[in-house]
Structure formats: structure tokens, C-alpha cells
Amino acid sequence: MDSETLYLYFTRTGTFPPAQSALTLKDQELTQGRVGHTVTATNQNQVVIAGGGLPAGGGDLVGSWWLGEGLASLTSIEGLDETTHELRSHRYCDPTLCQQGKIPAEACDFDGCMDGMNYARMWHTATALPTGQVVLAGGYTSDVFGEPIPLADGQGGGVVEVYDPTVGEKVDILQYSLSKARAGHTATLIDPVDFQILFLGGDLDGSATYEIWSPYSGSSGAQPLPDGVPRRHHTATLFEVPWTGTSAVLVAGGQSSTSALGSILVYDVGSGLMVPKPYGLPRGPRTHLSAGLDAESGYIHLVGGFTDAHHTAPSDAIDVYDIHQDECLEGVGQLSLTTARGAHATAVTSSGEVIITGGVAVNGAGLQTAESITRQYVQLGDGESVLKIEHSALPSMMPTGRLGHRSVTTNTGLVLLVGGMQGGGGGNSVSPVLGLDVYNPY
């Protein structure tokens, strides 16, 4: 008779304790801090943390870090086992450690690297497939001076790799590239059967396009966005279209090379049409905002962001897109964040609660606070009920401020916070956050 080991993970509700291994009882930390990375939950109970960048030379964030300036891109992949909360590094380069025997010789290749991505990349995308694999596409790489370079193949297309945790954490370069190099774009799985992914924006040649890509057939070719406006650091949210049996992708905000954007596009998966909407974000243009879908209420919450392309003016705005009405609602309870923030992270729990963490404050510092958006059904006197959306600041603070981090809801229902930088503001320097924190919404 086969036996299974049951691991129990205890944490207080509504707090942000460190992620702790159930095997060693040690707090888990990244081997390398990072910003511009990806964090992806797979159906193999693994959270895959890939790539990103660190300030070149170990210095401060300088220049337009959201465009890869001043960052040294990373090849490393780290994976968190959701069952044990054990973090493993799948890519780390340091020939000195190999020579000193601190990394086993059999794990070191001729560059002094453990296995990981074939290309260093930041501001790329990572898309989980139903097979448990993760598709890694686009992004910037960097030169020795921390200058961003488009990550492209010999024909100028965006290089695509796949990470397969079922085959010894192997990372392969796929046969088919994107039609063009992209960074700061979005990638949305729109067909889980044929593995079709919608890649949108981030064009490194300054154009404004999207494409449908599949590992089986490659790219459909770059198609022009209907508004003709280049965009990156926007949101792209997949949702089910009510009463149709089809799905669509809401694309909101972002930035061109000169300004934040307030426009909204919707890609209809059934018809293959990209439609510009006559309305925009009611609270105005914003870039590096976040989106959270509460499927039960049918609301997509578009949260925070910067009102300028230089990332100097964070916003407290919360806009609400109503899937049933196909419109952005005006003045839904006059929702606003308690604290203006951009480059924050948003995750949605199984109950539909939208958890908003960290980000850049008005003074440029990484925020330690968190907020939430919840739905409640208020009973009326006639026995009917009405949906009410509420916002509140969470009473607990994160152990440290974070900006440029990522968050994801794991299969166990916890919200995991990964990477980013701490400090900043008032001339203070920043440093990478190595520790992983979890939030228990139950």
C-alpha cells in the first residue's frame, strides 16, 4: 500500500509571515533578488520564478528601470514547491563558487552556471500551460554596462523558451519565435487546447501590434493594434463573455514612449477581432497599473499605476470594468486606494478578494502597506440583495516595503509575494528583497 506524506502549513489569517519550508523550518529566500521578473503558478503545484534584473554593478535603481535601463538581466530560474514551501534554485552563475566547490562540480557547466534559461531576460512574459510547462518569451537582455538590448533571434523575432518541471527542470529553445522582439508586453493563454497565446504590445521597433502564437505553428504574424498606439506595461485580463460560451481579453492602460495611456481594447477570442472601446479609464491614463478579476461579480478592478511615462506620479485610482455591461462603471462607490501606488502587485483569492501590495509611493519609496477590494451582497427589505464593492486598507503590514515585485495566488489559496526592491525615497538607495512572504486570506 502506497503512503503519502502530509505537510501542514500554519499561518495567522490576514498577516504576511515569511514563506517557511515544511522540511527545514527555515525562511525561504531567493538566491538572487530581482525586478522585471515573472512569477507563475503551474498545475504541478510549483511556482516558477524566472529572470528579471538587478542594478548593474550592485548599485541603485537609475534611469528608466521599467525599460531595463541600468539593470543586469538574469538567466536564473527558482521554483517554490507549494506543498513543502521549499525553494530551489535552477539557475545560478558564479564560476568562483564552482571553482571553490561550493556548487557541486556536476552541476556546473563551462560557464560556471547551473541549468536555467538559455537567455538572460527581464520584462519578459511567462505563461503556464495545462501541461505544467511555462512558456518564456520576449524581454530585454543587457550588455555589461546594464544597457537594455532587444532579445531577438537572427531574424529579429522574439526568442521563446519553455521550462518543463516534469523533465528535470529542462529549458529548451522552441523552434518558433515571436514575429518580432517585444518587452513590457503581455501574454495571455486564449486556447488551452492548442496552446494559443495572445502577445500584445511591447514592440521594440516602436510599432503597435499583437500576434497569436502557438508552439505547434508559430506566429500568425504581427497585426496592427486598431488605435495605432504603441503600448507596454498595460494589463491584459482574460474573462468569460456572459451567455456566449466564448472568452475575451480586456487590455487597459499602459504607456507609449511619451505618455501614460487611458485607452481600452477588447480582443474577442471567438471572432479574432481586436476592438477599441469608445470609453477609456474613467480616472484617467495610467501605466504600470494592475488588474484583478472577480469572476463572480463580473468586475475587473484596474488599480493604481503612474499617471506619467516617467513613473513619478503614482495614482490612487480604482476603475471597475463590468463584464456584463461591457463598460467601465463611473463612480462605483468612489473607490480609491488609501495610498497612491504604482509598480505594485495584485492577486485575487479564491473568494474573489483583490489583494494589492507594495509599490512606489508618492515620495518614491517602496510601500510596506497592503489594501483589498471585496464584494458583499447587502440584503434589502423585500428579500432581494444588491452587490456592493468595498475597499479597505489591510491592518497588517508587510515585513518590508516592496516595489516592482510580483504576487500570485497559489493552488493552496495563499498569496505569495516575490522579489522587488526595498527602500528608496528621499534620496535613499534601494536594495533587492530576497525573502518570500505569504498572505493568508482565510
Side-chain angles (χ1 to χ4, degrees):
M1 179 177 178
D2 295 335
S3 62
E4 294 184 359
T5 301
L6 176 64
Y7 295 98
L8 299 178
Y9 187 83
F10 295 97
T11 178
R12 295 178 63 182
T13 301
T15 61
F16 291 91
Q20 191 176 79
S21 167
L23 302 177
T24 65
L25 301 182
K26 293 182 178 179
D27 295 348
Q28 299 299 283
E29 291 188 348
L30 296 172
T31 306
Q32 294 175 295
R34 58 192 75 211
V35 68
H37 54 297
T38 55
V39 177
T40 312
T42 75
N43 61 6
Q44 301 294 314
N45 291 322
Q46 185 181 50
V47 176
V48 178
I49 304 153
L54 279 171
D60 206 350
L61 286 178
V62 295
S64 301
W65 54 271
W66 54 93
L67 300 178
E69 292 181 7
L71 297 177
S73 54
L74 303 173
T75 57
S76 61
I77 292 178
E78 306 192 46
L80 182 79
D81 186 311
E82 292 187 24
T83 304
T84 64
H85 278 202
E86 186 78 12
L87 184 66
R88 294 178 53 214
S89 175
H90 301 302
R91 181 66 170 179
Y92 187 74
C93 298
D94 192 329
T96 301
L97 293 181
C98 285
Q99 294 165 5
Q100 294 175 349
K102 294 182 179 180
I103 294 178
E106 61 271 17
C108 297
D109 61 20
F110 65 93
D111 286 326
C113 297
M114 297 176 70
D115 195 22
M117 289 190 295
N118 296 275
Y119 294 92
R121 58 177 86 218
M122 54 187 166
W123 302 116
H124 56 288
T125 53
T127 309
L129 300 179
T131 56
Q133 297 166 301
V134 178
V135 173
L136 304 155
Y140 301 105
T141 189
S142 59
D143 61 19
V144 294
F145 303 104
E147 292 299 318
I149 303 171
L151 181 52
D153 62 16
Q155 289 73 47
V159 178
V160 181
E161 300 178 69
V162 63
Y163 170 80
D164 191 343
T166 65
V167 190
E169 292 89 36
K170 187 178 181 182
V171 181
D172 286 324
I173 301 173
L174 294 181
Q175 175 184 356
Y176 296 110
S177 297
L178 301 181
S179 68
K180 59 197 311 185
R182 303 178 184 272
H185 56 290
T186 51
T188 310
L189 182 67
I190 58 174
D191 186 339
V193 176
D194 293 330
F195 301 165
Q196 290 187 343
I197 300 173
L198 168 66
F199 289 94
L200 190 145
D203 303 70
L204 293 177
D205 61 2
S207 58
T209 69
Y210 69 96
E211 60 187 284
I212 309 298
W213 177 93
S214 165
Y216 301 126
S217 57
S219 174
S220 61
Q223 304 297 318
L225 291 174
D227 59 3
V229 179
R231 70 176 67 215
R232 58 173 42 88
H233 296 314
H234 50 280
T235 65
T237 310
L238 181 72
F239 64 92
E240 297 297 320
V241 181
W243 313 297
T244 67
T246 62
S247 57
V249 180
L250 179 76
V251 180
Q255 68 181 82
S256 66
S257 59
T258 58
S259 62
L261 303 175
S263 55
I264 291 177
L265 309 172
V266 172
Y267 178 79
D268 184 282
V269 176
S271 66
L273 296 177
M274 183 74 70
V275 180
K277 290 300 180 178
Y279 49 82
L281 294 172
R283 298 284 299 275
R286 304 194 301 282
T287 183
H288 227 131
L289 69 168
S290 65
L293 167 64
D294 176 10
E296 181 172 323
S297 67
Y299 286 166
I300 298 175
H301 301 280
L302 304 165
V303 181
F306 299 95
T307 60
D308 65 315
H310 300 292
H311 287 50
T312 61
S315 170
D316 66 355
I318 301 175
D319 287 316
V320 180
Y321 174 80
D322 187 335
I323 292 171
H324 298 90
Q325 301 297 326
D326 185 22
E327 64 181 4
C328 277
L329 304 180
E330 300 277 357
V332 181
Q334 297 299 314
L335 289 180
S336 292
L337 293 169
T338 302
T339 304
R341 62 186 76 215
H344 52 285
T346 293
V348 182
T349 70
S350 58
S351 64
E353 183 180 11
V354 181
I355 305 297
I356 305 139
T357 56
V360 178
V362 172
N363 67 355
L367 287 165
Q368 201 173 348
T369 58
E371 310 187 35
S372 71
I373 303 172
T374 58
R375 60 173 143 76
Q376 291 188 1
Y377 291 93
V378 179
Q379 295 296 322
L380 302 178
D382 57 3
E384 298 293 325
S385 62
V386 61
L387 174 64
K388 183 179 179 181
I389 303 299
E390 294 187 343
H391 158 266
S392 63
L394 294 178
S396 296
M397 299 181 71
M398 299 184 296
T400 184
R402 293 181 189 256
L403 63 91
H405 60 295
R406 305 289 190 186
S407 67
V408 66
T409 301
T410 68
N411 294 315
T412 60
L414 300 176
V415 175
L416 178 71
L417 309 182
V418 182
M421 310 294 284
Q422 61 183 334
N428 296 318
S429 62
V430 299
S431 59
V433 182
L434 298 178
L436 277 62
D437 298 327
V438 293
Y439 174 76
N440 181 3
Y442 299 114

